[in-house]
Amino acid sequence: MTRFTLWGAGLMMLVVGALHLMAPQMMMREPGIELATTNHLHIIRAAYGGAYLGIAALFLSGALGWIDARPALISVVLIFGGFALGRLVSIALDGVPVALYLGVLGAEVFFTVCALRALRRRR
């Protein structure tokens, strides 16, 4: 369960981070977010692209045994759980987003639960 969770969450963040870094316009087109200035592109490449790639490196480092898996699993719970919480609050306050974001919410909840189960098994 540990390796599955860290590989799955890590690869998800790797793909999403690389796409935000290399093709921010494409990534923002589906949810209807227009990137009209250099500053908009800068924020997406840094905050989504760079940060997500850093998160991917953390998760994959745990999967590969470069760091202890326990802190990597705790990071999955905190990061993906935080994303999911934010999305759920947004759905309650703002309404339902595009289907893409609902799918991402599903993946975040799934990997959060997987990480919690893996942590429980590691005790």
Side-chain angles (χ1 to χ4, degrees):
M1 178 67 74
T2 295
R3 289 177 52 90
F4 168 80
T5 302
L6 292 173
W7 275 108
L11 291 174
M12 178 179 155
M13 294 306 285
L14 180 68
V15 169
V16 172
L19 288 171
H20 277 94
L21 187 66
M22 303 308 295
Q25 293 283 10
M26 178 193 76
M27 292 302 287
M28 295 292 107
R29 190 174 305 120
E30 172 63 26
I33 299 170
E34 182 182 344
L35 303 178
T37 70
T38 299
N39 292 336
H40 295 155
L41 292 165
H42 178 83
I43 291 297
I44 298 302
R45 289 186 202 274
Y48 291 83
Y52 286 5
L53 289 174
I55 292 166
L58 173 64
F59 297 167
L60 294 172
S61 291
L64 292 166
W66 295 346
I67 64 170
D68 185 58
R70 184 171 171 75
L73 287 168
I74 292 169
S75 297
V76 171
V77 171
L78 295 174
I79 293 168
F80 276 28
F83 285 157
L85 174 64
R87 290 182 198 283
L88 291 171
V89 168
S90 178
I91 288 169
L93 297 177
D94 308 321
V96 179
V98 296
L100 170 69
Y101 288 155
L102 295 176
V104 172
L105 170 60
E108 290 163 352
V109 169
F110 175 75
F111 284 118
T112 299
V113 170
C114 287
L116 287 168
R117 291 183 71 194
L119 285 164
R120 184 173 248 189
R121 288 182 182 177
R122 293 178 68 84
R123 285 188 183 161

